[in-house]
Amino acid sequence: FNISVDRFARDMNVYSRVTGALIASVVCLAVVVRASGVVSLEREKHTLDVLLTTPMSSRRILWGKWWGCLLGMRWGWAWVIGIWLLGVASGGVHPLGFFLSIVALGCFAGIFAWIGIWCSVRFKKSLISTMVAIMLTLFL
């Protein structure tokens, strides 16, 4: 019985690492795609001028859009965290590894969101902004 528990823990380790990494990559790519259109789509829909005339600073607007890009993928984050929690519950993933993976994923997602927002500010068309953001993300 003890051998099967160890084997299950090893199998859950592999499952949570591989599946979690794949889903986390897709969710990070979705963050980049979402972020790459936050300003350029406003420009294309002619709502950017209205947004800029509000009393909020440009920095505050961009921070709000950054948070929106990250929190807009909350179901994807829940999926990844759920897979990793299964790994922790089965003994296949160390709790410290789980915590450090969450921190790393947050760092990557935050950086990728800023890359997408930078591309959205830099390029006028959302299609070009999205393509450049995807290429930069894949390069990184």
Side-chain angles (χ1 to χ4, degrees), residues 77-119:
W77 302 131
W79 191 11
V80 172
I81 291 170
I83 289 171
W84 289 345
L85 280 174
L86 281 174
V88 171
S90 67
V93 175
H94 193 277
L96 181 61
F98 169 75
F99 174 73
L100 293 176
S101 295
I102 297 285
V103 170
L105 183 59
C107 291
F108 281 118
I111 290 168
F112 289 156
W114 279 123
I115 289 171
I117 290 172
W118 178 81
C119 289

Side-chain angles (χ1 to χ4, degrees), residues 32-53:
V32 168
V33 169
R34 184 182 185 112
S36 66
V38 294
V39 176
S40 56
L41 284 174
E42 295 262 4
R43 189 180 297 122
E44 290 173 5
K45 292 189 296 185
H46 303 291
T47 56
L48 183 63
D49 296 333
V50 175
L51 184 62
L52 292 176
T53 58

